[in-house]
Amino acid sequence: MSNPSKTIDQWLDTNTFHHEEFWDLKKLVAEKEKKGLKISLCIPTLNEEKTIGKEIIIFKSELMDRYPLVDEIAVIDSGSKDRTLEVAASYGADTYLSADILPSEGFKPGKGENLWKAIYQLGGDVICYVDADIKNIHPRFVTGLVAPLIHRDEVHYVKAFYDRPLAFSEGIRPSGGGRVTEILVRPLFSLFFPELTAMVQPLSGEYAVRREVLEEIPFPIGYGVETSHLIDVYQKRGLSAFAQTDLESRVHRNQTTADLGKMAFGILQSFLNRLESNGMVEKLPEMATVFRQFQAEGKDYEQVLKEIVEEERPPMIEIAEYRKKFGKG
Amino acid sequence: MPESTKDIATQLESLREIVLANIVMAGEIPSPTFGEENLTRFVSDRFTESELDNISTDEAGNIAGIVPSRSAKKKKTGERNTILVSAHLDKVWDATADHTVSATETTLDGRGIADNSTGVAVLVSLPQILEKLGIGLNSDLLLLGTTRSFGRGDLEGMRFFLDHTPLKIRAGICLEGMQLGRLSFSSLGMLRGEILVNSTNDQSDAGWHSGDTAGAIAVLSKIVARILAIEKPERPRTEILLGSIQSGSGYNVPPTKGALRFEIRSEEGDVVDRIHRQIEEIVNEADALGQATCELNVLATRTPGDIGFTHPIVKSARETLESLGVKPRIAPSISDLSALLDRGIPGLTLGITTGRGRHTESEAIEIEPMFTGLAQLVSTLQFIDKFEPDEQSE
């Protein structure tokens, strides 16, 4: 295997962006039109009436009316009990019930289901997925993700990350994802897919992907969808197919530790399924001993490597001196 | 005019998302008085996108830009007439308050959404509104976001701009988010002050206290009782508003400091002066009693101004509102408008839409009436553009 640290450093240098690099929307739209790309925005929802209206207002006004970057805005809903769909429609979004799309395939309740059905329902060459629970919505949540796909043909999957330190005035700061990322996903990736640790926030719900990639990967319908995407696209196309963009800050509901436990359980299922289907369970690869985290200085990101070797001692009963001392044969 | 004004409202429906998005974005940027920089930056970016002329910020932090007149090429800027449209950028909320906006099917909700995120959003949307309607004015249209309007800000932004601009401003419109139908063409005389009380008694929280244990609160309450007894005339309309009182920290510690904030408002400046002197005397007497030091600080003042109910601009605005089925609500203003009237510039304050909960955390505006408010603004602008000042004396 090539040296993951070197690959990651190089990738961080060339494929990690900050949304401010794409401030010139006129230029971005011109480039999009030159390439003849069609872009669909998909917002999966379940009971999001409080935040959905504002998202549609901002995206439609800024990215359709003012700068025609997005060709369609679709809300795909899992069956909200509140007025999510009515509010979204009143501000001009196309609204769909997930259950009505591709009825021959049935309906499974879950966010991944909505993302999967979007591939069938929407017409874009690129689909940009943005969650509906963002309180500080801003056009950057779309522009920052689709811009690398517009500018760079070799990039296929762009993931958001959020790095806005609240209390670091200058100097180096730790950088990374939420609790499930840091406690579960990063250690798993460090062990089995070290290059994927380059994703600062592998679980972020915002990403833009080319159709040819979306149509060739399976979709877990629940918590595991983001993790499994990364593994599947990585195995088919390698790290160079990915890019990530810093969107600065994302304000959303905070989840309880119990909820995060459920999320971790779902992610583990998807992860282990992948190990199994890749034949990695019967024949576990040699596990890496380098744990990879991140720190940032200004807008530069670098890996922080820590060698962690879990050495073991045998049961004491196997030690001859012990058996002799305690007369255990 | 009635039909055409209603047509304007209908045509503007297609700019719905543009205006709403501007309200949401202006609404989510904290902009406390003296801390308006981020909202100024937003307005500046919007002015740049609309390709306005002469976009600039001044020493007071105001942001201005010009939509040039149709005849811009024929005359130099200084020689052309200018119509001012302004919106104050500051909000009453601290920067740390949650400024999240949420949208229902019919309303936008959030701190400061009416006062004055909606006014600011309309200001930055105006170039597109006029373009959409194919309206070109004969005057230059000066768009101005003003700073420091509230409280201790004392209209510093607007005053600074008017004192230093070389432009010939023929009339001004100040935008406020709510209420639709509001029509202010006069400003009240106003004095805003605070009374500070500082007593020097025993502060321990145990045992018996020597002397007066009520401290600053007792002194302040005597002052309040005397202010409330001040006689106020029915005409000119006059009021003394006791806005806030602060003192003390618990149950058992006599308070040493206290502050009372108040405002005197009247249609006549002499009455404001008289009541100011009376309050001054009350404070001086309380001070002389020796229980506590008492002082009165004046934080802001306005002189009353009026362009008159029958002024052609006011008349036109009234007729426009009536033609749109909105009953005009005439109310004097103590906001940026008074700085215009002080300098002899005819002006109006217009409300853009209906709303509720002003200055509360559940402040909200109604979306649909906004188009009526925008039509009213456009019609009034067109009237001012054509209006010759000589008509006033006829």
Side-chain angles (χ1 to χ4, degrees):
Chain A
M1 189 191 266
S2 61
N3 178 355
S5 298
K6 202 173 154 198
T7 313
I8 289 172
D9 281 343
Q10 195 178 359
W11 184 86
L12 286 174
D13 193 37
T14 58
N15 285 31
T16 297
F17 303 98
H18 189 275
H19 73 88
E20 284 176 356
E21 294 172 52
F22 312 117
W23 66 272
D24 191 343
L25 293 188
K26 261 186 186 164
K27 191 175 144 200
L28 195 60
V29 170
E31 185 71 10
K32 174 213 161 192
E33 282 168 0
K34 196 171 124 197
K35 293 201 167 163
L37 281 175
K38 195 173 169 201
I39 297 175
S40 300
L41 171 60
C42 169
I43 305 173
T45 54
L46 179 64
N47 299 328
E48 311 282 5
E49 67 176 7
K50 285 210 160 56
T51 45
I52 189 69
K54 189 174 69 173
E55 280 204 27
I56 306 292
I57 289 172
I58 295 284
F59 289 145
K60 185 159 184 304
S61 158
E62 299 299 300
L63 303 178
M64 286 182 95
D65 298 344
R66 197 183 286 266
Y67 300 103
L69 183 70
V70 169
D71 298 277
E72 63 180 331
I73 298 177
V75 169
I76 301 189
D77 188 75
S78 300
S80 290
K81 296 273 186 281
D82 65 7
R83 298 186 59 75
T84 299
L85 284 180
E86 287 86 347
V87 173
S90 74
Y91 291 108
D94 302 329
T95 54
Y96 304 97
L97 267 178
S98 185
D100 293 343
I101 302 171
L102 214 54
S104 57
E105 294 298 314
F107 169 67
K108 298 173 193 293
K111 177 186 154 191
E113 173 88 351
N114 302 8
L115 307 184
W116 182 67
K117 287 190 167 172
I119 308 170
Y120 179 81
Q121 186 64 43
L122 307 187
D125 306 301
V126 165
I127 299 181
C128 181
Y129 296 106
V130 176
D131 277 353
D133 65 341
I134 304 172
K135 288 175 88 178
N136 60 329
I137 200 67
H138 186 274
R140 69 174 186 271
F141 283 86
V142 174
T143 57
L145 298 176
V146 301
L149 297 170
I150 291 172
H151 289 307
R152 298 253 304 267
D153 293 344
E154 73 281 14
V155 173
H156 288 80
Y157 196 114
V158 185
K159 190 93 183 159
F161 71 103
Y162 305 92
D163 182 59
R164 191 175 200 178
L166 296 176
F168 288 87
S169 56
E170 56 185 300
I172 296 171
R173 60 185 186 269
S175 181
R179 287 167 283 175
V180 178
T181 295
E182 296 304 316
I183 290 171
L184 178 72
V185 179
R186 193 173 298 289
L188 282 175
F189 280 173
S190 292
L191 278 173
F192 297 104
F193 304 100
E195 288 185 357
L196 281 179
T197 60
M199 295 288 169
V200 177
Q201 279 169 5
L203 298 182
S204 74
E206 287 70 45
Y207 33 96
V209 194
R210 292 190 198 279
R211 175 172 291 277
E212 60 261 35
V213 170
L214 289 170
E215 66 193 17
E216 69 181 13
I217 52 177
F219 276 63
I221 60 149
Y223 295 112
V225 64
E226 281 84 18
T227 315
S228 72
H229 275 184
L230 296 185
I231 296 170
D232 293 343
V233 175
Y234 173 70
Q235 292 201 311
K236 284 178 191 290
R237 295 170 184 263
L239 188 63
S240 61
F242 291 100
Q244 62 183 349
T245 304
D246 184 356
L247 302 182
E248 281 196 350
S249 68
R250 185 190 197 283
V251 181
H252 56 97
R253 291 186 297 260
N254 209 2
Q255 303 207 59
T256 63
T257 305
D259 285 339
L260 296 181
K262 291 175 204 158
M263 184 193 279
F265 184 68
I267 290 170
L268 260 181
Q269 282 187 38
S270 293
F271 190 87
L272 293 174
N273 276 338
R274 273 171 177 61
L275 289 193
E276 192 175 22
S277 60
N278 293 329
M280 293 166 80
V281 173
E282 295 79 13
K283 202 180 164 187
L284 270 181
E286 189 179 336
M287 286 189 283
T289 56
V290 177
F291 184 52
R292 292 164 196 277
Q293 293 167 306
F294 279 86
Q295 64 186 20
E297 190 168 13
K299 288 175 185 169
D300 293 326
Y301 297 88
E302 62 176 32
Q303 307 176 72
V304 181
L305 307 183
K306 173 81 180 162
E307 177 90 17
I308 300 173
V309 181
E310 285 294 316
E311 289 190 279
E312 282 192 13
R313 291 294 197 181
M316 189 55 86
I317 197 77
E318 293 174 16
I319 307 296
E321 285 94 325
Y322 173 82
R323 291 196 299 273
K324 188 177 164 196
K325 181 177 176 185
F326 288 91
K328 295 196 177 231
Chain B
M1 180 172 289
E3 287 79 14
S4 66
T5 309
K6 273 184 185 157
D7 287 349
I8 290 174
T10 313
Q11 284 188 56
L12 289 176
E13 290 271 353
S14 66
L15 290 178
R16 183 182 153 101
E17 271 73 31
I18 296 266
V19 180
L20 293 182
N22 282 333
I23 299 176
V24 171
M25 284 189 276
E28 297 202 332
I29 301 170
S31 189
T33 306
F34 294 102
E36 301 96 342
E37 304 81 20
N38 290 335
L39 192 52
T40 306
R41 170 87 189 271
F42 167 76
V43 172
S44 172
D45 288 348
R46 283 300 193 226
F47 282 179
T48 305
E49 285 177 314
S50 299
E51 299 179 344
L52 299 196
D53 286 356
N54 302 74
I55 300 166
S56 60
T57 51
D58 61 27
E59 289 161 53
N62 299 302
I63 168 81
I66 292 176
V67 182
S69 75
R70 281 192 292 210
S71 57
K73 285 178 187 156
K74 296 179 197 154
K75 291 182 182 173
K76 289 180 187 167
T77 308
E79 295 168 359
R80 300 195 299 263
N81 276 317
T82 303
I83 303 173
L84 169 69
V85 175
S86 76
H88 68 86
L89 300 169
D90 53 340
K91 307 175 189 177
V92 296
W93 299 97
D94 189 74
T96 54
D98 183 356
H99 282 68
T100 304
V101 175
S102 62
T104 69
E105 288 157 273
T106 54
T107 64
L108 293 179
D109 308 32
R111 285 187 170 87
I113 198 83
D115 192 8
N116 191 19
S117 308
T118 300
V120 173
V122 170
L123 182 78
V124 300
S125 306
L126 202 48
Q128 281 150 297
I129 290 173
L130 296 177
E131 193 184 329
K132 170 81 192 167
L133 298 170
I135 293 173
L137 300 176
N138 294 314
S139 315
D140 280 348
L141 179 62
L142 167 64
L143 303 182
L144 177 70
T146 60
T147 58
R148 306 174 196 172
S149 79
F150 285 119
R152 288 172 189 267
D154 193 20
L155 309 184
E156 248 178 62
M158 181 62 106
R159 287 182 209 260
F160 180 90
F161 185 85
L162 294 175
D163 287 344
H164 295 87
T165 182
L167 299 171
K168 286 193 293 186
I169 298 173
R170 62 173 1 211
I173 299 176
C174 304
L175 302 176
E176 290 281 351
M178 64 192 248
Q179 294 284 359
L180 176 63
R182 166 184 178 168
L183 190 57
S184 302
F185 51 84
S186 64
S187 61
L188 287 173
M190 186 277 286
L191 181 141
R192 191 175 287 158
E194 68 180 3
I195 296 166
L196 301 177
V197 172
N198 202 340
S199 75
T200 49
N201 58 14
D202 183 2
Q203 284 187 62
S204 68
D205 61 355
W208 298 104
H209 297 90
S210 58
D212 184 355
T213 52
I217 290 179
V219 178
L220 267 181
S221 63
K222 285 174 196 157
I223 292 174
V224 167
R226 294 197 57 194
I227 291 176
L228 292 176
I230 292 175
E231 203 173 309
K232 299 177 284 291
E234 271 184 34
R235 289 279 179 274
R237 279 180 62 182
T238 301
E239 64 181 19
I240 304 171
L241 193 79
L242 301 180
S244 84
I245 191 161
Q246 287 171 333
S247 186
S249 59
Y251 296 97
N252 56 357
V253 182
T256 56
K257 289 182 192 315
L260 168 71
R261 300 201 171 84
F262 68 93
E263 208 170 89
I264 312 165
R265 300 172 169 191
S266 175
E267 289 167 349
E268 275 185 20
D270 289 351
V271 179
V272 176
D273 289 344
R274 174 176 65 77
I275 294 176
H276 173 211
R277 283 196 304 276
Q278 283 175 288
I279 294 180
E280 217 167 31
E281 267 171 39
I282 293 169
V283 173
N284 288 341
E285 277 180 41
D287 186 62
L289 287 175
Q291 284 178 310
T293 57
C294 305
E295 60 175 289
L296 168 64
N297 296 324
V298 175
L299 305 176
T301 56
R302 313 259 189 285
T303 49
D306 193 343
I307 61 170
F309 187 74
T310 56
H311 189 285
I313 296 177
V314 178
K315 192 159 166 270
S316 160
R318 266 192 292 131
E319 286 171 358
T320 305
L321 278 173
E322 280 160 5
S323 75
L324 290 164
V326 179
K327 192 173 176 346
R329 293 154 47 128
I330 311 291
S333 163
I334 54 161
S335 64
D336 276 352
L337 176 66
S338 62
L340 285 171
L341 300 180
D342 273 356
R343 285 156 185 78
I345 301 170
L348 297 173
T349 298
L350 299 181
I352 299 297
T353 186
T354 52
R356 61 175 187 272
R358 183 169 172 266
H359 296 184
T360 69
E361 52 196 70
S362 54
E363 192 165 313
I365 57 150
E366 301 280 337
I367 292 169
E368 283 317 311
M370 185 176 76
F371 299 102
T372 305
L374 293 177
Q376 171 206 11
L377 169 62
V378 170
S379 293
T380 308
L381 266 179
Q382 284 179 300
F383 181 83
I384 295 175
D385 190 44
K386 290 187 197 126
F387 163 68
E388 293 299 329
D390 291 341
E391 290 173 25
Q392 191 184 352
S393 53
E394 283 171 9

